[in-house]
Amino acid sequence: MEMVAAAATKDAKRNGGTPEWRVTVPEGASVTVEHERCLAARAWGWLVSCVVALGAKVSGSGKRLWKIGADDPRRAVHGLKVGLALSLVSVFYYTRPLYEGVGGNAMWAIMTVVVVFEYTVGGCVYKGFNRAAATVSAGAIALGVHWVAVHAGGELEPFIRSGSVFLLASIATFSRFIPTVKARFDYGVTIFILTYSLVAVSGYRVEALLVMAQSRVCTIAIGIFMCLAVCVLVCPVWAGQELHRLTARNMDKLAGAVEACVKDYFADQPADGKQPPSDKAEGYKCVLNSKASEDSQANLARWEPAHGRFGFRHPYEQYKSVGAAMRHCAYCVEALSGCARSEIQAPHHIKQRLAGGCASVAARCALALREASSSVAAMKTSWALDLAVAEMNTAVQELQSDLRSLPSKLVEEESPAAVLDAVQLFTVTSLLIEVSTRIESVVDAVDTLASLAGFRSSDVEKDEASETETKVKQPAASDPDSYEPEKKHIEQV
Amino acid sequence: MEMVAAAATKDAKRNGGTPEWRVTVPEGASVTVEHERCLAARAWGWLVSCVVALGAKVSGSGKRLWKIGADDPRRAVHGLKVGLALSLVSVFYYTRPLYEGVGGNAMWAIMTVVVVFEYTVGGCVYKGFNRAAATVSAGAIALGVHWVAVHAGGELEPFIRSGSVFLLASIATFSRFIPTVKARFDYGVTIFILTYSLVAVSGYRVEALLVMAQSRVCTIAIGIFMCLAVCVLVCPVWAGQELHRLTARNMDKLAGAVEACVKDYFADQPADGKQPPSDKAEGYKCVLNSKASEDSQANLARWEPAHGRFGFRHPYEQYKSVGAAMRHCAYCVEALSGCARSEIQAPHHIKQRLAGGCASVAARCALALREASSSVAAMKTSWALDLAVAEMNTAVQELQSDLRSLPSKLVEEESPAAVLDAVQLFTVTSLLIEVSTRIESVVDAVDTLASLAGFRSSDVEKDEASETETKVKQPAASDPDSYEPEKKHIEQV
């Protein structure tokens, strides 16, 4: 059918645009196509194109989904973990003794798993703790009010119940606007209102309120336990580690952006005068946009138990300071990249006078950031970082003296007018110097992090290398934490 | 007792530091204080100081709470609204016919109110819609699987139930990582998993599953209806309006920051060389930090029904573009303020050569931003905005020619060395020019918003003023929306 339609179209075209609606049918006879048939062919064509479009859309969505999973396979694992936790908890429902043990309230365990299970361990602990604490406290208050309501008797009872719900819900909802409550107990407040309302109002009709409350607390505890067990034991995702990696990765991106911006600026201009920014040069945008995720990860990380190199009081707040210092630097890189790509450009031969100095500063800036990044990533302090900063400062001083001598050189060697052309170069260079100043404050923030988190010295590491090699053979002792006492000893020395 | 302790301390001091532990008691006789008594006095002192500290803390918290409420009284109103909705819905529990009508599932209505009630109408609709759609779809699928499980018989039943829960929960959880799902249906996915698990697993023990599902959908519908009614009818807070106001306010703050930064830079330096940045000059920080709230408000605003000047398809996404343009500008203001406050400053007499030009550009920049802000706030286009931009560009061109002639002037009138001192001034001026370029793109984004949202022309307004005055006397016709057809007519003309 599709072929027939195609043939009809071809015929029409061959006849110089005048549609003659004749097609060659298999019998070999030439017939005039009826109007209905043409419609049917069109409809068929439309249907086929729809199916093809749908297929393309489905395969496109499939590819996108695959990419989401392939970018970070832990996302797919997270899905399976939620499925696993729910399947495990549903066993309570199927096992009669367990089901009757909690008086038919097993449903609450399922509910708890669905709402408490989060991607990171920190999120899971945060929600689990909030849910448990809020349920217990609200339940206790509600039982107290229930006692009062029952003793107040008949007419007054609904008013006491609803009045107390009104009052507590209003106060609790208002408390969510307090920043500390919002950051740490937002979910708990919801559950508090929920539990209080349910218990206080249910008391009007349910007889054995205390038993109901008890079995509910019990099932919620089972749900939370199940969540935490699956979340921590099966490929755990730690918010603290995510924050740690994000910080190190952003520092690398910032390093790449500084280097690429300066390189792009001093590169030979293409014929049309406009060069598209390289991907690397846009790296600072990641730094600008990661405040929200840093804040939420730091918030969740504080709920996490000690794990690996991350102790109980790991200074997660300091990562926010490092992030703020990086953003402070990224603002300046943004302005630098904007000025470097502005329409009015300094002439190439004038640019060349500072090209070497600027490239050297940019390279040292990037080196300092990369050293800081690897220091954070490896959780080790290193003399290389101090050296990199010192080198950066030397390069900046050289650039500054080049910059200061440039105007008089231009006046002498070219003409006073050459100074006008150099104004844009002055701006770019000054911004690069400002960027280097801000990189120093990033390094300072990293130093503070290193001392708060007790990063080990990499020099000590080398001395211990031979020792480590022997230790690696004993799996139990190869945990980095096992060096902790030695490190403290060395620091005291 | 407290006074005794104080007297003891004074006595001790008077005796030159040697504690003699003698106090004047009311009887007038001097007695040696026993050691126990001294301890008791100390304990009492400690207790009193504790009570005082606690009192100070409570009053401090009270003041902070009061400030949170006073800053935005709608927060307190929101608390009362939640209380009201919960009290209203609890009436279902007390009224026997209503309670029995939904088969004792009235509890679900309370639960729905607690979790669906949000601060903004958009949030409420988003959660309500997600909860309703997810409950109905998950319930339908679960009933289908229930039928299969029941017909598959005994041994197989729990495996079919748990297997389907595992599969659907895994897929649904993974789907949350798709950005569109995350932005619009995140809550729906949670409720989908919750409802599916509850219905599919409950089917194993609960007899009348269909009746249970029906009454549950019914109670959830009641809860959502109650939420929406209270949220929309009692002092509604619209996410769209919040976004709208935030955008206009941020534009004003940016205007103030540009002006204040330039003013601070050219002001006479205080004796110590360092001047603290004024509050106004820090205004750009609000712009830098409001991405998260803009995104969430734009996300929620799209769920809101038409209200006031905000139509059904109001271009909330465009506010995000305006916000992005403002941030783009704020990055540059940040760099400008950083450079303006750097340690190496150009000498005052050199600064003065561009002070006038820079101040004029800064004032025009601020004017353009303020015109844009008031255009957004009033939802009116105005010729004053185009005029302000044109004036800004003229001022920029003058500054640019001043900047270009400065080096040769410095060489002629002072010495070639004076150019060195002017480098920092060049940088600040170039950045100011870059800021003005970025302000133009903010104005462009506002223009796009004006055409998408159909802002009215303020010139038309004036012509209609007399007409409006007569209309104001008829309350029904004074709604700004009632001018809509007239406006379209004028635009077509």
Side-chain angles (χ1 to χ4, degrees):
Chain A
M1 197 60 127
E2 201 187 2
M3 284 173 67
V4 172
T9 319
K10 269 186 190 166
D11 255 18
K13 273 186 188 157
R14 223 175 284 141
N15 290 318
T18 28
E20 244 188 56
W21 302 121
R22 274 148 45 114
V23 289
T24 317
V25 291
E27 283 83 358
S30 180
V31 292
T32 310
V33 179
E34 294 146 54
H35 195 59
E36 283 79 21
R37 205 137 172 209
C38 166
L39 258 183
R42 269 197 214 162
W44 178 249
W46 178 81
L47 200 71
V48 166
S49 69
C50 270
V51 169
V52 169
L54 193 75
K57 212 164 184 182
V58 167
S59 100
S61 308
K63 268 181 201 158
R64 245 176 296 144
L65 273 185
W66 180 258
K67 202 179 165 303
I68 289 171
D71 277 354
D72 194 347
R74 295 178 304 173
R75 292 170 175 170
V77 173
H78 174 60
L80 297 177
K81 278 161 77 179
V82 172
L84 177 68
L86 273 175
S87 308
L88 282 179
V89 91
S90 69
V91 168
F92 272 82
Y93 225 85
Y94 306 138
T95 326
R96 188 164 284 275
L98 287 176
Y99 178 77
E100 275 158 14
V102 292
N105 275 311
M107 187 187 87
W108 286 89
I110 297 178
M111 212 158 185
T112 303
V113 169
V114 175
V115 293
V116 166
F117 210 107
E118 286 280 318
Y119 185 55
T120 58
V121 176
C124 221
V125 175
Y126 156 70
K127 283 204 159 178
F129 173 82
N130 268 274
R131 192 176 177 93
T135 303
V136 171
S137 61
I141 298 177
L143 286 177
V145 172
H146 171 69
W147 187 87
V148 172
V150 165
H151 285 76
E155 282 299 298
L156 224 57
E157 200 180 331
F159 293 100
I160 293 180
R161 292 184 190 278
S162 283
S164 70
V165 166
F166 178 82
L167 204 71
L168 274 174
S170 301
I171 295 173
T173 303
F174 182 71
S175 79
R176 298 175 103 167
F177 291 106
I178 304 169
T180 324
V181 174
K182 180 85 198 160
R184 297 195 202 175
F185 307 110
D186 193 56
Y187 182 66
V189 172
T190 308
I191 297 300
F192 180 89
I193 302 176
L194 182 66
T195 309
Y196 182 80
S197 311
L198 285 185
V199 178
V201 175
S202 301
Y204 192 65
R205 299 227 176 260
V206 177
E207 298 303 313
L209 196 64
L210 196 66
V211 176
M212 188 188 92
Q214 266 179 351
S215 74
R216 205 158 281 185
V217 166
C218 176
T219 43
I220 286 179
I222 291 169
I224 292 174
F225 174 76
M226 203 70 89
C227 273
L228 287 180
V230 173
C231 194
V232 173
L233 297 180
V234 185
C235 311
V237 177
W238 302 93
Q241 277 184 12
E242 296 295 292
L243 177 62
H244 186 83
R245 278 187 208 138
L246 177 71
T247 305
R249 204 164 54 229
N250 274 349
M251 238 175 263
D252 272 335
K253 281 187 181 161
L254 197 57
V258 173
E259 218 170 26
C261 275
V262 172
K263 200 180 151 205
D264 286 358
Y265 178 67
F266 288 105
D268 293 326
Q269 303 272 325
D272 61 350
K274 278 264 175 187
Q275 47 194 351
S278 60
D279 272 359
K280 231 181 165 184
E282 304 270 288
Y284 63 86
K285 288 188 180 166
C286 290
V287 182
L288 291 176
N289 292 330
S290 51
K291 185 175 189 302
S293 49
E294 268 171 25
D295 285 354
S296 88
Q297 282 171 353
N299 228 341
L300 295 181
R302 86 171 97 211
W303 293 92
E304 288 177 351
H307 58 282
R309 298 288 306 273
F310 297 83
F312 175 60
R313 288 196 168 274
H314 196 78
Y316 294 113
E317 285 299 304
Q318 181 61 24
Y319 285 92
K320 280 162 79 174
S321 309
V322 175
M326 279 200 283
R327 265 191 302 285
H328 192 58
C329 184
Y331 297 147
C332 208
V333 175
E334 211 274 350
L336 170 66
S337 111
C339 286
R341 284 209 295 276
S342 73
E343 280 177 24
I344 307 161
Q345 291 277 337
H348 191 66
H349 69 279
I350 292 184
K351 274 187 189 178
Q352 286 312 311
R353 287 174 180 263
L354 291 183
C358 283
S360 154
V361 168
R364 305 290 159 83
C365 283
L367 185 69
L369 279 174
R370 287 199 183 107
E371 281 296 336
S373 159
S374 59
S375 155
V376 169
M379 287 190 149
K380 281 172 192 159
T381 60
S382 103
W383 51 267
L385 177 57
D386 296 334
L387 200 70
V389 172
E391 275 184 3
M392 180 179 82
N393 285 338
T394 315
V396 166
Q397 272 164 13
E398 278 168 20
L399 179 62
Q400 245 158 357
S401 73
D402 282 358
L403 181 64
R404 296 195 143 259
S405 65
L406 185 62
S408 50
K409 269 191 195 163
L410 284 176
V411 170
E412 280 166 29
E413 295 170 23
E414 306 201 12
S415 73
V419 179
L420 313 183
D421 295 327
V423 166
Q424 196 234 3
L425 181 62
F426 292 156
T427 309
V428 169
T429 311
S430 304
L431 281 175
L432 182 60
I433 293 170
E434 177 74 18
V435 166
S436 76
T437 318
R438 294 185 179 192
I439 285 176
E440 253 197 280
S441 61
V442 173
V443 172
D444 286 347
V446 169
D447 280 344
T448 312
L449 176 66
S451 69
L452 286 176
F455 283 7
R456 312 182 57 220
S457 160
S458 61
D459 315 330
V460 175
E461 192 86 330
K462 276 174 199 158
D463 302 342
E464 279 171 5
S466 54
E467 208 180 325
T468 315
E469 271 168 31
T470 55
K471 274 195 179 175
V472 165
K473 286 170 194 162
Q474 310 156 340
S478 68
D479 182 350
D481 281 336
S482 57
Y483 299 130
E484 212 62 22
E486 283 170 49
K487 175 200 130 212
K488 274 183 193 148
H489 171 70
I490 288 157
E491 273 180 0
Q492 279 159 9
V493 171
Chain B
M1 200 57 133
E2 199 188 4
M3 285 174 64
V4 172
T9 319
K10 269 186 190 165
D11 255 20
K13 274 188 188 155
R14 222 175 284 140
N15 291 317
T18 26
E20 244 188 53
W21 301 124
R22 278 153 35 117
V23 291
T24 317
V25 291
E27 285 81 357
S30 182
V31 292
T32 310
V33 178
E34 297 147 51
H35 196 58
E36 284 77 20
R37 203 136 172 215
C38 165
L39 257 184
R42 269 199 213 163
W44 178 249
W46 177 81
L47 200 69
V48 166
S49 70
C50 269
V51 169
V52 168
L54 194 73
K57 213 166 183 180
V58 167
S59 100
S61 307
K63 266 181 202 158
R64 246 176 296 143
L65 272 185
W66 179 258
K67 201 181 167 300
I68 288 172
D71 276 355
D72 193 347
R74 294 178 304 171
R75 291 170 175 171
V77 173
H78 174 60
L80 296 178
K81 278 162 75 180
V82 172
L84 177 67
L86 272 175
S87 309
L88 282 178
V89 90
S90 68
V91 168
F92 273 83
Y93 225 85
Y94 306 138
T95 326
R96 188 164 284 274
L98 286 176
Y99 179 76
E100 276 159 14
V102 292
N105 275 311
M107 186 187 88
W108 286 89
I110 297 178
M111 212 158 188
T112 303
V113 168
V114 174
V115 293
V116 166
F117 210 106
E118 287 280 319
Y119 184 54
T120 60
V121 176
C124 221
V125 175
Y126 156 70
K127 283 205 160 177
F129 173 83
N130 268 272
R131 192 174 177 94
T135 305
V136 170
S137 60
I141 297 177
L143 286 177
V145 171
H146 172 69
W147 187 86
V148 171
V150 166
H151 284 77
E155 283 299 297
L156 225 58
E157 202 180 328
F159 293 100
I160 292 181
R161 291 183 190 280
S162 283
S164 70
V165 166
F166 179 82
L167 205 71
L168 273 173
S170 301
I171 294 173
T173 304
F174 182 70
S175 79
R176 298 175 105 169
F177 291 106
I178 304 170
T180 324
V181 174
K182 180 85 198 160
R184 298 196 202 173
F185 307 110
D186 194 56
Y187 182 67
V189 172
T190 308
I191 297 301
F192 180 89
I193 303 175
L194 182 66
T195 309
Y196 182 81
S197 311
L198 285 185
V199 178
V201 174
S202 301
Y204 193 65
R205 301 227 176 258
V206 176
E207 300 302 313
L209 197 63
L210 195 66
V211 176
M212 187 187 93
Q214 267 179 350
S215 74
R216 205 159 281 184
V217 166
C218 177
T219 42
I220 287 179
I222 292 169
I224 292 175
F225 173 76
M226 204 71 90
C227 273
L228 286 180
V230 173
C231 194
V232 173
L233 297 180
V234 185
C235 311
V237 177
W238 302 92
Q241 276 184 12
E242 295 296 292
L243 177 62
H244 186 84
R245 278 187 209 137
L246 177 71
T247 305
R249 203 164 52 228
N250 274 349
M251 237 173 267
D252 272 335
K253 281 188 182 161
L254 199 56
V258 173
E259 220 170 25
C261 276
V262 172
K263 199 179 153 204
D264 286 357
Y265 178 66
F266 288 105
D268 293 326
Q269 303 272 326
D272 60 352
K274 278 264 174 188
Q275 48 194 352
S278 60
D279 271 0
K280 230 183 166 184
E282 305 269 292
Y284 64 85
K285 287 187 181 168
C286 292
V287 182
L288 291 176
N289 292 331
S290 52
K291 186 177 189 299
S293 49
E294 269 173 23
D295 284 355
S296 88
Q297 282 171 353
N299 230 342
L300 295 181
R302 85 172 99 210
W303 294 93
E304 288 176 350
H307 58 281
R309 297 289 305 272
F310 297 83
F312 175 59
R313 288 196 167 277
H314 195 79
Y316 294 114
E317 285 298 305
Q318 183 59 24
Y319 286 92
K320 279 161 80 173
S321 309
V322 175
M326 280 199 284
R327 266 191 301 285
H328 192 56
C329 184
Y331 296 146
C332 209
V333 176
E334 209 274 350
L336 170 66
S337 109
C339 286
R341 283 208 294 275
S342 72
E343 280 176 24
I344 307 161
Q345 291 276 337
H348 191 66
H349 68 279
I350 291 186
K351 275 188 189 176
Q352 285 312 311
R353 289 177 177 259
L354 291 182
C358 283
S360 152
V361 167
R364 305 291 159 85
C365 283
L367 185 69
L369 278 173
R370 285 197 184 110
E371 280 295 336
S373 160
S374 58
S375 154
V376 169
M379 285 191 150
K380 281 173 194 160
T381 59
S382 101
W383 51 267
L385 178 56
D386 296 334
L387 200 70
V389 172
E391 274 184 5
M392 179 179 80
N393 285 337
T394 315
V396 167
Q397 272 166 11
E398 277 167 21
L399 179 62
Q400 245 159 356
S401 72
D402 283 358
L403 180 64
R404 297 193 142 259
S405 65
L406 184 62
S408 50
K409 267 191 197 161
L410 285 177
V411 171
E412 279 167 30
E413 296 169 22
E414 304 200 15
S415 74
V419 180
L420 315 183
D421 294 328
V423 167
Q424 197 234 5
L425 180 62
F426 292 156
T427 309
V428 169
T429 311
S430 304
L431 281 175
L432 182 60
I433 293 171
E434 177 74 18
V435 166
S436 76
T437 318
R438 294 185 179 191
I439 286 175
E440 252 196 281
S441 60
V442 173
V443 172
D444 287 347
V446 169
D447 281 343
T448 313
L449 176 66
S451 68
L452 286 176
F455 283 7
R456 311 181 57 219
S457 161
S458 60
D459 314 332
V460 175
E461 193 85 330
K462 278 174 198 161
D463 302 342
E464 280 172 6
S466 55
E467 209 178 325
T468 317
E469 272 168 30
T470 55
K471 276 195 178 175
V472 164
K473 285 168 193 164
Q474 309 155 340
S478 67
D479 182 350
D481 282 336
S482 58
Y483 298 131
E484 212 64 19
E486 284 170 49
K487 176 199 131 214
K488 273 184 194 149
H489 171 70
I490 289 157
E491 272 179 1
Q492 279 161 9
V493 171

